[in-house]
Amino acid sequence: MKKILQIIFIAIIASSCNTTGNNGDTKNNNTMTNEPLSLTQEWDKVFPLSDKVTHSKVTFHNRYGITLAADLYIPKSAGNGEKLAAIAVSGPFGAVKEQASGLYAQSLAERGFLTIAFDPSFTGESGGTPRYVASPDINTEDFCAAVDYLSTRDDVDPERIGILGICGWGGFSINAAAIDTRIKATVAATMYDMSRCTANGYFDSIDEDARYEMRRQLNAQRTTDYRNGNYALAGGVIDPLPDDVPQFVKDYHAYYKTPRGYHKRSLNSNNGWNKTSSLSFINMPILCYSNEIRSAVLLVHGEKAHSRYFSEDAFKKLKGDNKELLIVPGANHTDLYDQMDKIPFDRIEKFYRTYLK
């Protein structure tokens, strides 16, 4: 009986997916297109261009019709006509591809992988309105859309595609690995579980009453936003810093608000997200099915990071002998954004070479 019910369910889903409008209604147009985006052609990253890679800008779309902007890095060592293993990179939460994700992508391209670093929906140079929105569903889909794009490139082996998420996009990368069987290897660096952090606060310090009050305030903000006709922003790194902030807030400031990592399109470097973005994360935990991931996963976290417990707890839920947790001695959360002496690229490369072969 259970098997029969599964077959019926799959048939219903397939039928709904294959239904198309044949009544002449132009609203049923399912053509996939990329919207034109205005992409800067100057090198405006917070890191220098490597002479070991070829860089260009590309675009691709997700299944919600949002066009994403990405930087493509191809190793100059690649042979003509060679199909490469490929990796899609994004994060941190509130950052843009010109920051940490671009550094990771370029560094992995130097090691022989074809890589892209992309701006998530609604941010950076990517499309989507309103601006500065985060979504547990759409941002997970952004990784899957990157796999769509890479899978259809002539210079990529579609059987050797991995992803890498940094900070909040580390959580999304794990969620993407749970849903997308085309992903063969996933790295989550200095990972945040954004659903858990939003709903429970840091170190799970928020109780049910506090969560209710947060919902009340956010829904009141929805009314205010609708009345005003625009979305209030919050969440950029505070500047100037009060004296009594925790050390990890000072670490964020040292990256996002100084020449080390500041970028004009970065939400964290400027005015932050739409306040009401937090609502969906409260009710939609993103790591529910991480225990069902069959592909390889590597979690990388700093020993001194305030966020270390996210990776440690996520690792406990993963199953199989192709799952690893690497704790980097002495590193804090933002060290793994850009400190080349602390980011374990040798271990990350070894992981991808093991599982993207």
Side-chain angles (χ1 to χ4, degrees):
M1 176 62 71
K2 182 178 179 181
K3 184 67 174 180
I4 293 174
L5 291 175
Q6 288 176 339
I7 293 172
I8 293 173
F9 176 74
I10 292 171
I12 292 172
I13 295 299
S15 175
S16 67
C17 291
N18 291 329
T19 299
T20 57
N22 294 315
N23 58 0
D25 186 351
T26 58
K27 292 182 179 179
N28 289 332
N29 185 349
N30 282 336
T31 302
M32 296 182 183
T33 57
N34 283 355
E35 65 177 294
L37 299 178
S38 179
L39 305 180
T40 181
Q41 297 305 311
E42 64 177 337
W43 182 265
D44 61 348
K45 323 301 182 201
V46 301
F47 53 90
L49 176 63
S50 169
D51 60 5
K52 298 178 181 179
V53 305
T54 300
H55 164 265
S56 60
K57 291 287 190 74
V58 298
T59 61
F60 58 94
H61 54 268
N62 66 24
R63 66 186 179 88
Y64 293 105
I66 300 170
T67 299
L68 305 180
D71 286 300
L72 170 68
Y73 299 91
I74 300 178
K76 289 184 178 179
S77 60
N80 194 21
E82 181 181 1
K83 285 185 175 290
L84 302 174
I87 302 166
V89 188
S90 196
F93 193 80
V96 288
K97 64 188 181 304
E98 289 74 22
Q99 295 172 309
S101 62
L103 177 65
Y104 271 75
Q106 178 173 263
S107 298
L108 289 169
E110 289 178 326
R111 293 166 179 261
F113 301 95
L114 183 148
T115 65
I116 58 172
F118 65 87
D119 285 330
S121 295
F122 312 111
T123 65
E125 292 187 300
S126 288
T129 57
R131 303 302 292 168
Y132 316 134
V133 174
S135 162
D137 179 20
I138 296 175
N139 294 139
T140 298
E141 160 62 19
D142 289 341
F143 265 121
C144 299
V147 177
D148 293 339
Y149 169 73
L150 292 172
S151 296
T152 55
R153 284 186 61 93
D154 292 338
D155 51 2
V156 169
D157 181 348
E159 297 302 317
R160 294 192 293 154
I161 294 177
I163 60 175
L164 190 153
I166 307 166
C167 185
W169 259 260
F172 295 137
S173 71
I174 295 174
N175 197 31
I179 196 173
D180 196 331
T181 56
R182 299 170 301 173
I183 297 169
K184 300 302 189 292
T186 300
V187 174
T190 197
M191 188 269 283
Y192 259 49
D193 177 347
M194 291 306 302
S195 293
R196 178 178 177 181
C197 185
T198 304
N200 299 338
Y202 282 113
F203 314 112
D204 300 323
S205 60
I206 293 178
D207 60 16
E208 182 178 337
D209 289 338
R211 192 158 44 248
Y212 178 84
E213 177 59 21
M214 179 167 54
R215 290 191 183 102
R216 189 195 66 76
Q217 291 180 13
L218 289 170
N219 283 292
Q221 185 65 51
R222 289 186 62 144
T223 305
T224 300
D225 288 349
Y226 199 89
R227 180 181 294 115
N228 292 340
N230 56 63
Y231 296 92
L233 302 179
V237 175
I238 188 171
D239 185 45
L241 279 175
D243 294 334
D244 58 349
V245 297
Q247 180 59 45
F248 71 87
V249 177
K250 296 178 182 178
D251 295 337
Y252 283 132
H253 186 279
Y255 180 77
Y256 286 108
K257 289 292 190 177
T258 71
R260 170 185 166 193
Y262 176 84
H263 197 277
K264 61 184 179 181
R265 289 191 294 274
S266 168
L267 284 71
N268 287 345
S269 291
N270 296 285
N271 296 320
W273 299 90
N274 288 359
K275 286 184 178 180
T276 54
S277 283
S278 298
L279 269 170
S280 56
F281 287 93
I282 298 174
N283 278 19
M284 299 181 188
I286 60 175
L287 302 185
C288 284
Y289 294 101
S290 60
N291 61 303
E292 297 184 5
I293 298 173
R294 299 185 182 185
S295 58
V297 178
L298 171 62
L299 304 176
V300 182
H301 228 108
E303 177 192 17
K304 303 296 185 181
H306 68 285
S307 52
R308 174 177 166 179
Y309 69 101
F310 288 127
S311 284
E312 291 178 330
D313 287 353
F315 181 70
K316 294 173 185 176
K317 192 174 179 182
L318 298 175
K319 296 179 180 179
D321 58 6
N322 57 354
K323 312 299 190 294
E324 303 175 42
L325 172 63
L326 173 62
I327 301 300
V328 180
N332 65 30
H333 183 86
T334 57
D335 282 341
L336 298 188
Y337 285 6
D338 66 340
Q339 298 303 292
M340 299 299 287
D341 61 331
K342 293 185 177 179
I343 300 173
F345 276 117
D346 288 344
R347 286 287 300 277
I348 292 172
E349 178 186 358
K350 181 180 178 182
F351 171 80
Y352 280 127
R353 294 209 179 280
T354 299
Y355 294 106
L356 299 182
K357 62 182 181 181

